[in-house]
Amino acid sequence: MKPINVGLLGIGTVGGGTFNVLKRNAEEITRRAGRPIRIVTVADKNVEHARKVAGEGVKITDDAFSVVTDPEIDIVVELIGGYGVARELVLNAIENGKHVVTANKALLAMHGNEIFEAAQRRGVMVAFEAAVAGGIPIIKALREGLTANRIEWLAGIINGTTNFILSEMRDKGLPFAEVLKEAQALGYAEADPTFDIEGVDAAHKVTIMSAIAFGVPMQFGAAHVEGITRLEATDIAYAEQLGYRIKLLGIARMREEGIELRVHPTLVPEKRLIASVEGAMNAVQVQADAVGSTLYYGKGAGAEPTASAVIADLVDVTRLHTADPEHRVPHLAFQPDQVRDLRVLPIEDVITSYYLRMRVEDKPGVLADITRILADSEISIEALLQKEAEEGESHTDIIMLTHRTVERNANAAIKLIEALPVVKGAVTRIRMESLE
Amino acid sequence: MKPINVGLLGIGTVGGGTFNVLKRNAEEITRRAGRPIRIVTVADKNVEHARKVAGEGVKITDDAFSVVTDPEIDIVVELIGGYGVARELVLNAIENGKHVVTANKALLAMHGNEIFEAAQRRGVMVAFEAAVAGGIPIIKALREGLTANRIEWLAGIINGTTNFILSEMRDKGLPFAEVLKEAQALGYAEADPTFDIEGVDAAHKVTIMSAIAFGVPMQFGAAHVEGITRLEATDIAYAEQLGYRIKLLGIARMREEGIELRVHPTLVPEKRLIASVEGAMNAVQVQADAVGSTLYYGKGAGAEPTASAVIADLVDVTRLHTADPEHRVPHLAFQPDQVRDLRVLPIEDVITSYYLRMRVEDKPGVLADITRILADSEISIEALLQKEAEEGESHTDIIMLTHRTVERNANAAIKLIEALPVVKGAVTRIRMESLE
């Protein structure tokens, strides 16, 4: 049978992985896809490197735009990243009637609505399994595996760098800055780790998942994004004493009034499976009305795990590329005319529970003052840990876990607590999810 | 758009769940599928019960054969179970050009080759997500999510009843028989639990997974099947001391010479995620060359979790039912002419490691005799636990964990150990997998 011709844009880590896996498992993949999938052209600025990875028999060019207009190409794989030239190339490919496979979460989170609309108009597919959680087939699970369900919420460890750092901070009791350096030395964190440690990468991914889980547009700009840079080893230790782990979660929750879309460090009960996800691994827990809770676990990054997702998309697109659009799975799980205009709620409207740590004077009545403020704000306390003051210290730590409340309430109560003369400095506040 | 018409065979637990979820989430499902999916006919022996569950507006019959020949029906959902009349009905539906969705693992494990061949010939789809691990979309993950990979092995907790019993035995230190009674009282085990506790149900499911993972025919008859009825609480406790949990795993492994296909109690390192899967939950770990290890977790049984899988299949089939067969995903992941005739290896050829417990005389030289036998059989020891003899006891327990070896070797060594005069009774042997 006639092979399907792929043009690969960018042959860096993931591009190289894709090339190698397609070659190594060519027979296995053809046995499944029904026809060979071959990369016929590679575009990369570094032509020499591209030639070295791709070997002979593959056309190499430094002009990616020549690939997206090449009539010989059936599918364009975009692995350049970013949302500058990548956006232009993807839109250009679509206009030229090419199907697109991409691992570019930033692009989709920022410009997904435009891209999917263009693809819909032109009748081509844009597949993006590799954009979220690397090799874990979570997009397919959400889009096709759970179609019977009203998805209620999802919560994911979707950034390996930060999960590695948090695991190390907990294991070794070390501060963030030190572990970050270690992670950089080991190659788990990039030289400029901002996108990872500030939660931006996770926010891109949870934005994409929220769209296909709830049938809403991508609303990356409205997501609440908080990284792990200010997290202290003390809080990881206290959380552990209380039976919790701290994870950087991307959370999307459907509520009647709108959706919650947020990334922040989160206390999770240690008995939840997701709490045991260590190192650079990823996992996404999905709560849905019929199936209940399901969880998907695996490597969220790396050359071959990500290539695994890129190629799965290539096989899907290969099968359906001559089919009527109605036979295809909608890009965003829901039919394009069935996307709902449900807005992302501001963070003050989020409902969650909290871990609060405060430094207080070690004298009678302090706890009464604090708990009174919480009671007045209708915030009830689930657990409380008061440390004995260390010898010679006039202050001690109080740690509280609250029940669920609106963030606006919590903010107000925290302000009042911080205004108490017996409370020293700011209250440390970390959100908490039971994930039940 | 014209609704798709479904005939439902059997409206018991899962049938009722399917009916209810389709009704409750009709809008959500239509927004995804692009057209309404409606159950127009229900066949059940208990017409009165069927009428009560289905309400008015649905045709009820006690003649399932009239449904599979009804020209109005597009898809037949078979939820009768077993492999007698269910087989006839499914083959009949296929002959009549109906697509089939089934949750019937016994039927597929026993007669899958015949059924898929018939479906292929007739150009219809047979979908079976609900047959393995209930609501977890594991069939879709194996068949479509991991198409880039050479799947090396998979190991699953795919029977909730036995996992519940093992969790309880560990938690409470109780013997099997007692926990089984409790499970029956709680509805986690059936009145006749044979299929569950003897591992037959898990063997059906792992047989199906092996076929789509490796591209081989269903070979249920050749699977090695061992249940949990002879498992002692002592061994669960010893395993725990050594850092392991005992789980009933369904394991399929691809080797050059053939495939391993086996169900048996298995020691698993407690730090593996699958070791933390408790109660009636299911999980499947898949090892593949590109993506590495992925894991899928959720409810493996129950009305609505299973309905979730049935309906996901209905949506898939709805999308593709007018498409050319070449546009469809092959039933068993690989193109029908690409299925390999790789045979299941006999259990003696399986390569695994072992937990061995033996009762020995508490005197010098005993350990030397035993370790000599193992060394002569080229079985190396990974860990050893020798208990101090209790006061007044002349015998004590030795527990050993071995490295990987061929089962044939292990059998021979065990025989020699049992023949030693200092060893009392039989050696308890439980297989062990590192799942790395």
Side-chain angles (χ1 to χ4, degrees):
Chain A
M1 223 181 168
K2 192 176 160 288
I4 197 111
N5 291 334
V6 175
L8 180 62
L9 312 184
I11 192 157
T13 308
V14 175
T18 302
F19 199 93
N20 291 336
V21 173
L22 259 182
K23 199 167 150 188
R24 184 177 74 231
N25 291 348
E27 190 210 328
E28 195 91 354
I29 293 166
T30 307
R31 282 176 67 210
R32 291 183 174 112
R35 57 194 285 191
I37 297 173
R38 60 171 194 199
I39 295 176
V40 290
T41 308
V42 172
D44 200 290
K45 278 189 186 158
N46 189 336
V47 171
E48 223 167 292
H49 169 75
R51 167 64 59 212
K52 226 170 69 188
V53 178
E56 295 303 317
V58 175
K59 212 170 110 189
I60 309 285
T61 173
D62 63 356
D63 177 13
F65 284 92
S66 73
V67 177
V68 301
T69 54
D70 183 345
E72 203 204 350
I73 299 292
D74 302 305
I75 309 175
V76 169
V77 175
E78 185 274 306
L79 298 175
I80 294 173
Y83 30 81
V85 69
R87 175 175 157 273
E88 274 181 71
L89 283 165
V90 165
L91 288 171
N92 224 308
I94 291 168
E95 278 323 306
N96 281 282
K98 314 291 182 204
H99 304 290
V100 174
V101 172
T102 178
N104 193 332
K105 48 245 172 194
L107 177 65
L108 296 181
M110 304 277 289
H111 303 290
N113 301 328
E114 179 190 14
I115 288 167
F116 292 115
E117 211 185 295
Q120 184 61 28
R121 232 178 11 240
R122 194 61 176 77
V124 297
M125 290 173 271
V126 174
F128 53 96
E129 183 63 79
V132 181
I136 309 172
I138 180 66
I139 298 297
K140 190 172 274 286
L142 286 170
R143 198 180 51 197
E144 303 165 40
L146 304 179
T147 43
N149 293 266
R150 193 177 296 267
I151 295 175
E152 294 162 1
W153 54 261
L154 56 86
I157 296 173
I158 44 184
N159 180 273
T161 304
T162 45
N163 201 55
F164 174 83
I165 292 173
L166 293 178
S167 297
E168 289 289 296
M169 285 176 75
R170 184 177 77 88
D171 274 5
K172 304 184 178 162
L174 292 175
F176 170 76
E178 203 164 315
V179 175
L180 173 60
K181 265 186 220 150
E182 180 203 332
Q184 285 172 316
L186 288 169
Y188 283 117
E190 296 186 45
D192 177 0
T194 317
F195 260 39
D196 292 319
I197 62 178
E198 295 294 359
V200 179
D201 175 72
H204 287 147
K205 293 168 182 166
V206 74
T207 297
I208 296 171
M209 288 197 287
S210 72
I212 58 174
F214 307 138
V216 298
M218 306 272 176
Q219 299 174 66
F220 172 69
H224 175 83
V225 188
E226 222 177 294
I228 61 167
T229 53
R230 288 174 304 163
L231 202 63
E232 295 178 40
T234 319
D235 295 308
I236 294 177
Y238 280 144
E240 198 163 6
Q241 284 179 44
L242 292 158
Y244 291 80
R245 301 276 166 86
I246 299 182
K247 295 291 184 188
L248 183 71
L249 293 187
I251 298 171
R253 185 191 302 270
M254 167 68 100
R255 280 169 46 196
E256 248 174 65
E257 323 83 271
I259 66 169
E260 297 183 1
L261 187 62
R262 47 193 169 104
V263 172
H264 52 70
T266 315
L267 269 80
V268 176
E270 66 184 7
K271 63 181 171 218
R272 298 280 171 275
L273 214 53
I274 202 168
S276 303
V277 172
E278 299 290 354
M281 300 303 284
N282 278 204
V284 180
Q285 186 179 344
V286 183
Q287 180 70 30
D289 70 338
V291 73
S293 194
T294 52
L295 178 137
Y296 310 84
Y297 166 88
K299 283 183 187 143
E304 295 213 349
T306 312
S308 171
V310 169
I311 297 168
D313 277 348
L314 282 173
V315 173
D316 276 0
V317 173
T318 296
R319 270 190 199 119
L320 291 168
H321 87 125
T322 58
D324 287 340
E326 63 170 298
H327 292 138
R328 297 174 188 156
V329 181
H331 291 119
L332 299 175
F334 292 79
Q335 301 293 326
D337 59 352
Q338 291 296 319
V339 169
R340 261 202 279 180
D341 201 18
L342 208 55
R343 286 205 19 242
V344 171
L345 298 168
I347 188 70
E348 292 75 22
D349 288 348
V350 155
I351 297 172
T352 184
S353 40
Y354 298 88
Y355 161 100
L356 304 175
R357 170 170 60 86
M358 52 208 82
R359 190 94 186 133
V360 301
E361 275 183 43
D362 188 23
K363 67 177 195 187
V366 170
L367 196 57
D369 290 349
I370 293 167
T371 51
R372 167 54 46 207
I373 290 174
L374 290 171
D376 289 346
S377 312
E378 291 186 349
I379 298 171
S380 48
I381 298 167
E382 194 195 302
L384 195 147
L385 186 68
Q386 176 161 13
K387 306 300 288 185
E388 234 176 296
E390 285 178 39
E391 254 190 51
E393 279 277 353
S394 60
H395 286 75
T396 186
D397 282 346
I398 291 180
I399 295 98
M400 284 176 181
L401 305 182
T402 76
H403 280 288
R404 284 158 66 78
T405 181
V406 182
E407 177 125 339
R408 192 184 317 279
N409 265 9
N411 289 344
I414 289 169
K415 222 172 191 170
L416 292 173
I417 291 171
E418 285 173 344
L420 289 175
V422 293
V423 174
K424 190 175 163 186
V427 172
T428 298
R429 177 259 306 276
I430 306 174
R431 298 182 191 85
M432 189 167 101
E433 295 287 341
S434 70
L435 302 185
E436 264 177 320
Chain B
M1 221 181 170
K2 194 175 159 288
I4 197 110
N5 291 333
V6 175
L8 179 63
L9 313 184
I11 192 159
T13 307
V14 175
T18 302
F19 199 92
N20 291 336
V21 174
L22 260 183
K23 200 166 149 187
R24 184 176 75 231
N25 291 348
E27 192 210 324
E28 196 91 354
I29 293 165
T30 307
R31 282 176 65 208
R32 291 183 174 112
R35 58 194 285 192
I37 297 171
R38 60 172 196 199
I39 295 176
V40 291
T41 309
V42 172
D44 201 290
K45 276 190 187 157
N46 189 336
V47 171
E48 224 167 294
H49 168 74
R51 167 65 58 212
K52 227 168 67 189
V53 178
E56 293 304 316
V58 175
K59 214 170 110 187
I60 309 285
T61 173
D62 64 355
D63 177 14
F65 284 92
S66 74
V67 178
V68 301
T69 53
D70 183 344
E72 204 204 349
I73 299 291
D74 302 304
I75 309 175
V76 168
V77 175
E78 184 275 305
L79 299 173
I80 294 173
Y83 30 79
V85 70
R87 175 174 158 276
E88 273 181 71
L89 283 165
V90 165
L91 288 172
N92 224 306
I94 290 168
E95 278 322 308
N96 281 282
K98 313 293 181 202
H99 303 290
V100 174
V101 172
T102 177
N104 193 333
K105 48 246 173 194
L107 176 64
L108 295 182
M110 304 278 289
H111 302 290
N113 302 328
E114 177 189 17
I115 287 168
F116 292 115
E117 209 185 298
Q120 184 61 26
R121 231 177 11 240
R122 195 60 176 77
V124 297
M125 291 174 270
V126 175
F128 52 95
E129 183 64 79
V132 181
I136 309 172
I138 180 66
I139 297 298
K140 189 172 276 286
L142 287 170
R143 198 181 50 195
E144 302 166 39
L146 303 179
T147 42
N149 294 267
R150 193 178 295 269
I151 295 175
E152 294 164 0
W153 54 260
L154 56 86
I157 297 174
I158 42 181
N159 180 274
T161 304
T162 45
N163 202 53
F164 174 83
I165 292 173
L166 293 178
S167 297
E168 289 288 296
M169 285 175 75
R170 184 177 78 89
D171 275 4
K172 304 184 176 163
L174 292 174
F176 170 77
E178 204 165 312
V179 175
L180 173 61
K181 265 186 218 150
E182 180 203 332
Q184 284 171 316
L186 288 169
Y188 283 116
E190 295 186 46
D192 178 1
T194 317
F195 260 40
D196 293 316
I197 62 178
E198 296 293 2
V200 179
D201 176 71
H204 288 148
K205 293 168 183 165
V206 74
T207 298
I208 295 172
M209 289 196 288
S210 73
I212 59 175
F214 307 138
V216 299
M218 306 271 177
Q219 299 175 66
F220 172 71
H224 174 83
V225 188
E226 221 177 294
I228 62 167
T229 53
R230 285 172 305 162
L231 201 64
E232 294 178 40
T234 319
D235 295 308
I236 294 177
Y238 280 143
E240 199 164 5
Q241 284 178 46
L242 292 158
Y244 291 79
R245 301 277 166 86
I246 299 182
K247 296 291 183 188
L248 183 71
L249 293 187
I251 298 170
R253 185 190 304 268
M254 166 70 99
R255 280 169 48 194
E256 247 173 68
E257 323 84 271
I259 66 169
E260 297 184 0
L261 188 61
R262 46 194 171 104
V263 172
H264 51 69
T266 315
L267 269 79
V268 176
E270 66 186 4
K271 62 181 173 220
R272 297 280 172 275
L273 214 54
I274 203 168
S276 303
V277 173
E278 299 291 355
M281 300 304 284
N282 278 203
V284 180
Q285 185 179 346
V286 182
Q287 180 71 29
D289 70 338
V291 74
S293 194
T294 53
L295 178 137
Y296 309 85
Y297 166 88
K299 283 184 187 144
E304 295 213 349
T306 312
S308 171
V310 168
I311 296 168
D313 277 349
L314 281 174
V315 173
D316 276 359
V317 173
T318 294
R319 271 193 197 115
L320 292 168
H321 87 124
T322 58
D324 287 341
E326 64 172 296
H327 292 138
R328 297 175 188 155
V329 182
H331 290 120
L332 298 176
F334 292 79
Q335 301 293 328
D337 58 352
Q338 291 296 320
V339 168
R340 260 202 281 181
D341 201 17
L342 208 55
R343 284 204 22 241
V344 171
L345 299 167
I347 188 70
E348 292 77 19
D349 287 347
V350 155
I351 297 172
T352 185
S353 40
Y354 299 88
Y355 160 102
L356 304 174
R357 173 170 60 85
M358 52 208 81
R359 192 95 187 133
V360 300
E361 274 183 45
D362 187 23
K363 68 175 195 188
V366 169
L367 196 56
D369 290 350
I370 293 168
T371 51
R372 168 56 44 209
I373 290 174
L374 290 171
D376 288 347
S377 313
E378 290 185 352
I379 298 171
S380 49
I381 297 167
E382 192 194 305
L384 196 146
L385 186 69
Q386 176 160 14
K387 306 299 287 184
E388 234 176 297
E390 284 177 40
E391 254 191 50
E393 278 279 353
S394 61
H395 285 74
T396 185
D397 282 346
I398 291 178
I399 296 98
M400 284 175 182
L401 305 182
T402 77
H403 281 288
R404 286 159 66 77
T405 181
V406 181
E407 177 124 340
R408 190 184 318 279
N409 265 8
N411 289 342
I414 289 168
K415 221 170 190 172
L416 292 174
I417 291 171
E418 285 173 342
L420 290 174
V422 292
V423 173
K424 191 175 160 186
V427 172
T428 298
R429 177 260 308 273
I430 306 173
R431 296 181 192 86
M432 188 167 101
E433 294 287 341
S434 69
L435 302 184
E436 266 179 319

